[in-house]
């Protein structure tokens, strides 16, 4: 089905829904690289006007990637709930935007319809929204998950403590981990990107974190971000695996590039559940995504990069994740060129994930060859804090010395919690108070008060 919109004396024709979606997307370098972007701002406006008139039902009948060719499309269609969709089934994309922003649409309403939304519907409405609209609507939709603590409560912000090391040196990782904990970070998880996929090295890191966690009774969860097949092997060998990690994308072909399928993710999910390591809940999958991953694998099928990204959230939703992280600026300026594009993508990803019922966090980041700097990250951090993001990254100095990119620091987490009045996971805050790291309000105590724990932990870890 084709779509037409006239501006002045010029008629713009869009061959199909896939083309219309791509042309309506805000400008970004990835879509330009793929050759699917609007040729002018006027064409982009025409596409938005035409998209606003598309009934939501259309997305159930016109698949952007054919059902018979893609298991992600099959997942989206087969898991769609007509009952949940019924409440909004009469709306167009433009009407849906108005409904989302209405003062009468609350968290209960957004929760009711989540299973009736496809990623394409959610991506479409986001293309009609200003940044403030994305923030206002996402803020209405908390998504709460639990493992050893509770993440995503309204008025809370958690932090993934990321103590990476370029050689996986256990003492170096332990030093960064302890540094982050002294700043009150780590309630989302302690998550290490290993420099090596060697199973022995991965197991050594898992054991180190788990021994520390048990010794000091830290109510958090650990993760070593290796390929899911390595995690399954580690589980089979008895390693203390908490969260099961995998990078995912929005098409079957892109996921095949990661060496995964929905069946393999199901196997990993069941393996993690079999350990029964959660204490307050059983959400245990940790997924990472990023706009441009399908395009970089030549697996986008002409679909714009943001819509491909939102399809990845449908994959994540299937496995009841504890955390989903859009690593927004990591893939590089070929896909998100500058601070403005990174900011827009971060707000889109958070909004779209939350509407689908996914516990969204964001690695607010950029590579060193992007047209972005830390001021851009400050802006996005603040906007996402207002929008109700579940978690962000905590990295020493905001500079990851293993992955070589710029993100957010322990101090950045202190800033955004202070200016927006956000708390940590409640179980983690109780622990910080009991260990005299923070007071009952969540404010950090002085270094002299923290010194006994700091010295004890250093001795245990063998850190000079």
């Amino acid at each position: 089905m084709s779509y037409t919109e006239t501006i002045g004396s010029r008629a713009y024709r869009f061959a199909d829904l896939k083309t219309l979606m791509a042309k309506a997307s805000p400008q970004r370098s990835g879509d330009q690289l793929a050759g699917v972007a609007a040729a002018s701002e006027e064409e982009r406006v025409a596409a938005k006007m035409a998209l606003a008139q598309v009934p939501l039902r259309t997305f159930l009948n016109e698949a952007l990637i054919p059902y018979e060719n893609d298991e992600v499309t099959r997942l989206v269609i087969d898991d769609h709930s007509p009952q949940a969709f019924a409440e909004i089934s009469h709306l167009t994309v433009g009407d849906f935007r108005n409904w989302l922003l209405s003062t009468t649409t609350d968290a209960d309403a957004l929760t009711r319809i989540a299973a009736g939304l496809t990623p394409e519907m959610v991506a479409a409405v986001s293309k009609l929204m200003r940044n403030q609209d994305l923030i206002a609507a996402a803020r209405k939709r908390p998504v709460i998950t639990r493992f050893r603590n509770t993440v995503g409560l309204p008025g809370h912000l958690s932090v993934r403590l990321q103590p990476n090391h370029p050689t996986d040196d256990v003492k170096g990782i332990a030093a960064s981990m302890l540094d982050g904990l002294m700043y009150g970070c780590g309630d989302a998880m302690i998550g290490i990107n290993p420099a090596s996929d060697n199973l022995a090295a991965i197991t050594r890191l898992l054991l180190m974190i788990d021994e520390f966690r048990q010794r000091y009774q830290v109510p958090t969860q650990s993760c070593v971000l290796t390929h899911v097949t390595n995690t399954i092997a580690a589980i089979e060998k008895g390693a203390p695996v908490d969260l099961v990690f995998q990078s995912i994308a929005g098409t079957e072909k892109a996921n095949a590039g990661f060496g995964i399928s929905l069946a393999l993710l199901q196997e990993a999910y069941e393996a993690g559940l079999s350990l029964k390591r959660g204490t307050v809940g059983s959400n245990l999958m940790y997924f990472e995504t990023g706009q441009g991953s399908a395009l970089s694998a030549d697996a986008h099928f002409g679909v714009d990069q943001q819509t491909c990204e939102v399809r990845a959230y449908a994959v994540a939703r299937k496995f009841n994740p504890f955390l989903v992280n859009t690593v927004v600026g990591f893939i590089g300026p070929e896909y998100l060129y500058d601070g403005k594009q990174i900011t827009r993508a971060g707000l889109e990803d958070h909004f779209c994930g939350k509407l689908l019922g996914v516990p969204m966090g964001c690695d607010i980041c950029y590579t060193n060859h992007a047209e972005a700097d830390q001021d851009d990250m400050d802006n996005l951090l603040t906007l996402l804090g207002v929008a109700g993001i579940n978690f962000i990254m905590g990295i020493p100095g905001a500079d990851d010395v293993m992955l070589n990119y710029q993100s957010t620091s322990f101090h950045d987490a202190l800033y955004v919690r202070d200016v927006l009045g956000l708390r940590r996971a409640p179980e983690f805050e109780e622990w910080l108070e009991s260990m005299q790291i923070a007071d009952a309000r969540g404010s950090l105590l002085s270094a002299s008060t923290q010194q006994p724990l700091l010295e004890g932990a250093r001795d245990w870890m063998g850190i000079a």
Side-chain angles (χ1 to χ4, degrees):
M1 177 179 176
S2 63
Y3 302 85
T4 304
E5 186 66 40
T6 301
I7 295 182
S9 61
R10 182 166 183 179
Y12 289 90
R13 182 179 177 276
F14 307 98
D16 51 28
L17 187 57
K18 176 170 62 177
T19 302
L20 179 64
M21 293 272 282
K23 301 291 188 182
S25 294
Q27 183 178 11
R28 64 203 61 203
S29 52
D31 289 340
Q32 292 172 320
L33 179 66
V36 301
S40 67
E41 285 302 317
E42 184 173 281
E43 184 182 26
R44 182 170 290 112
V45 169
K48 289 177 185 288
M49 293 169 65
L51 183 60
Q53 300 170 53
V54 174
L56 291 180
R57 290 183 181 276
T58 302
F59 294 94
L60 300 175
N61 302 317
E62 188 176 343
L64 305 191
I65 301 174
Y67 180 93
E68 59 274 14
N69 297 343
D70 186 89
E71 69 172 359
V72 176
T73 300
R74 292 194 290 276
L75 170 68
V76 168
I77 298 301
D78 294 348
D79 281 9
H80 180 260
S81 169
Q83 294 76 24
F85 182 59
E87 185 171 346
I88 56 168
S89 61
H90 61 290
L91 300 178
T92 64
V93 176
D95 294 333
F96 185 39
R97 173 188 175 273
N98 295 338
W99 184 85
L100 288 169
L101 296 174
S102 170
T103 56
T104 59
T105 300
D106 57 12
D108 289 341
L110 295 175
T111 302
R112 282 196 310 271
I113 68 164
L117 295 174
T118 69
E120 290 82 1
M121 293 176 192
V122 172
V125 75
S126 75
K127 298 176 192 301
L128 305 184
M129 301 176 87
R130 294 170 55 187
N131 286 3
Q132 67 172 251
D133 299 337
L134 298 173
I135 294 167
R139 186 175 175 83
K140 297 181 183 183
R141 180 53 165 111
V143 180
I144 301 165
T145 56
R146 296 176 173 86
F147 190 77
R148 284 200 192 91
N149 60 28
T150 306
V151 171
L153 293 166
H156 290 66
L157 172 72
S158 295
V159 176
R160 170 189 161 187
L161 174 47
Q162 185 170 305
N164 294 344
H165 192 279
T167 64
D168 288 341
D169 180 78
V170 172
K171 289 186 178 180
I173 289 171
S176 293
M177 183 176 76
L178 189 58
D179 188 26
L181 289 168
M182 292 301 107
Y183 280 102
C185 295
D187 51 339
M189 70 166 172
I190 300 171
I192 302 168
N193 298 88
S196 166
D197 268 341
N198 178 276
L199 189 57
I202 291 163
T203 302
R204 184 165 60 249
L205 295 176
L206 286 168
L207 287 169
M208 183 273 289
I209 301 174
D210 201 57
E211 288 171 7
F212 178 86
R213 181 189 62 79
Q214 291 192 59
R215 181 181 182 90
Y216 292 99
Q217 299 181 315
V218 190
T220 191
Q221 34 285 320
S222 65
C223 185
V224 175
L225 282 67
T226 186
H227 192 271
V228 69
T229 53
N230 291 331
T231 302
I232 292 172
I235 290 172
E236 291 171 346
K237 290 183 177 296
V241 173
D242 288 344
L243 304 185
V244 177
F245 163 78
Q246 183 55 50
S247 293
I248 58 173
T251 72
E252 179 178 351
K253 183 179 178 182
N255 282 326
F258 285 135
I260 61 167
S261 64
L262 297 181
L264 181 58
L265 293 177
Q266 183 67 35
E267 179 185 349
Y269 179 47
E270 292 174 1
L273 287 174
S274 72
L275 300 179
K276 300 180 179 178
R277 290 175 61 82
T279 55
V280 299
S282 58
N283 301 111
L284 56 80
M285 299 300 284
Y286 173 57
F287 294 118
E288 287 193 343
T289 68
Q291 289 194 27
S293 59
L295 174 58
S296 67
D298 191 25
H300 60 103
F301 302 99
V303 176
D304 68 271
Q305 70 179 39
Q306 188 241 345
T307 301
C308 284
E309 169 74 0
V310 185
R311 284 168 57 93
Y313 305 154
V315 175
R317 179 170 63 173
K318 178 70 175 177
F319 302 101
N320 303 310
F322 182 64
L323 307 169
V324 176
N325 180 25
T326 169
V327 192
V328 67
F330 185 75
I331 301 181
E334 300 84 359
Y335 306 96
L336 296 169
Y337 179 72
D338 57 15
K340 181 175 182 177
Q341 292 188 14
I342 292 170
T343 297
R344 173 69 189 193
L347 295 175
E348 287 172 346
D349 293 352
H350 177 249
F351 162 81
C352 291
K354 284 290 183 68
L355 247 62
L356 290 173
V358 171
M360 289 302 297
C362 184
D363 190 341
I364 301 162
C365 63
Y366 62 101
T367 57
N368 290 314
H369 62 309
E371 290 294 322
D373 59 26
Q374 215 63 36
D375 285 338
D376 295 309
M377 300 306 102
D378 286 349
N379 294 343
L380 180 53
L381 169 64
T382 306
L383 295 173
L384 286 172
V386 174
I389 194 84
N390 279 28
F391 71 100
I392 61 169
M393 302 296 109
I395 297 171
D399 184 2
D400 193 298
V401 295
M402 196 280 281
L403 293 173
N404 294 308
Y405 77 114
Q406 310 304 311
S407 184
T408 47
S409 70
F410 307 143
H411 299 82
D412 294 330
L414 292 177
Y415 147 75
V416 75
R417 283 178 172 145
D418 179 55
V419 298
L420 298 178
L422 301 172
R423 305 298 294 259
R424 302 170 183 88
E427 301 89 344
F428 193 78
E429 280 212 337
E430 290 176 10
W431 177 78
L432 290 174
E433 185 180 1
S434 72
M435 299 302 289
Q436 296 185 295
I437 297 172
D439 62 21
R441 299 170 301 168
S443 299
L444 295 181
L445 297 174
S446 66
S448 60
T449 304
Q450 296 180 356
Q451 200 65 26
L453 170 64
L454 188 59
E455 291 301 329
R458 279 175 172 167
D459 291 343
W460 177 75
M461 292 174 172
I463 303 170

